[in-house]
């Protein structure tokens, strides 16, 4: 008898639910998943995370709403607050961080001595995050925002924003 992979992913979710104690409803976690700070991870029902996720919650909190789907290769580094609303889709190979280092021009000190800045990130309800996106500290995406593939996002965006990469290469043309 062949067992569908998502059934195993659902069973893994239930194990994490017992382990972390902050997951509600049903969902699934693909394997492999690397998880640090699980006690500060809160998710509502319908969460689905495909394989290859790395979630590092250092001193912060991650809150995820209902019916959130996350593609392969997610990397989250959270030391303050990451809030993801309801009905959000996050494509594959997405990076989200609440931590950055302040670098002074001409600094010669080692990386380990650079000051760390923590800024919360909020992704509102009904957002779509495209493939390969980097969401940087302090970002707030308004409801229904769309972030195009390979965009690097920083700042506050009103509801319904469409955010495309800074540089787009067009191959071919239509006449």
């Amino acid at each position: 008898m062949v067992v569908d992979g998502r059934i195993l992913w659902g069973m893994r979710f239930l194990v994490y639910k017992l382990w972390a104690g902050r997951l509600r409803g049903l969902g699934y976690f693909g394997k492999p998943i690397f998880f640090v700070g699980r006690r500060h991870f809160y998710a509502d029902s319908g969460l689905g995370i495909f394989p290859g996720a790395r979630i590092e919650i250092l001193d912060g909190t991650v809150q995820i709403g209902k019916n959130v789907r996350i593609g392969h290769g997610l990397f989250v580094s959270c030391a303050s607050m990451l809030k993801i609303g309801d009905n959000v889709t996050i494509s594959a190979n997405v990076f989200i961080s609440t931590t950055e280092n302040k670098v002074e021009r001409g600094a010669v000190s080692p990386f380990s001595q650079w000051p760390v800045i923590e800024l919360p990130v909020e992704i509102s309800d009904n957002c779509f995050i495209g493939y390969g996106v980097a969401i940087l500290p302090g970002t707030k995406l308004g409801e229904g925002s769309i972030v195009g593939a390979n965009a690097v996002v920083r700042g506050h965006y009103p509801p319904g924003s469409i955010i495309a990469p800074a540089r787009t290469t067009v191959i071919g043309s239509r006449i």
Side-chain angles (χ1 to χ4, degrees), residues 34-54:
F34 177 83
F35 216 132
V36 174
R38 67 189 181 278
R39 300 233 181 264
H40 300 282
F41 185 85
Y42 302 87
D44 218 324
S45 61
L47 172 63
I49 300 178
F50 273 76
R54 180 179 183 95

Side-chain angles (χ1 to χ4, degrees), residues 13-24:
F13 180 87
L14 294 175
V15 169
Y16 272 83
K17 189 173 180 174
L18 294 173
W19 188 38
R22 306 236 182 354
L23 302 173
R24 297 191 334 181

Side-chain angles (χ1 to χ4, degrees), residues 17-75:
K17 189 173 180 174
L18 294 173
W19 188 38
R22 306 236 182 354
L23 302 173
R24 297 191 334 181
L26 297 176
Y28 58 86
F29 285 162
K31 184 179 180 181
I33 186 167
F34 177 83
F35 216 132
V36 174
R38 67 189 181 278
R39 300 233 181 264
H40 300 282
F41 185 85
Y42 302 87
D44 218 324
S45 61
L47 172 63
I49 300 178
F50 273 76
R54 180 179 183 95
I55 301 169
E56 298 177 0
I57 307 169
L58 307 172
D59 292 322
T61 301
V62 173
Q63 294 180 344
I64 299 177
K66 295 178 184 171
N67 303 318
V68 172
R69 293 291 187 256
I70 300 172
H72 299 272
L74 172 73
F75 181 9

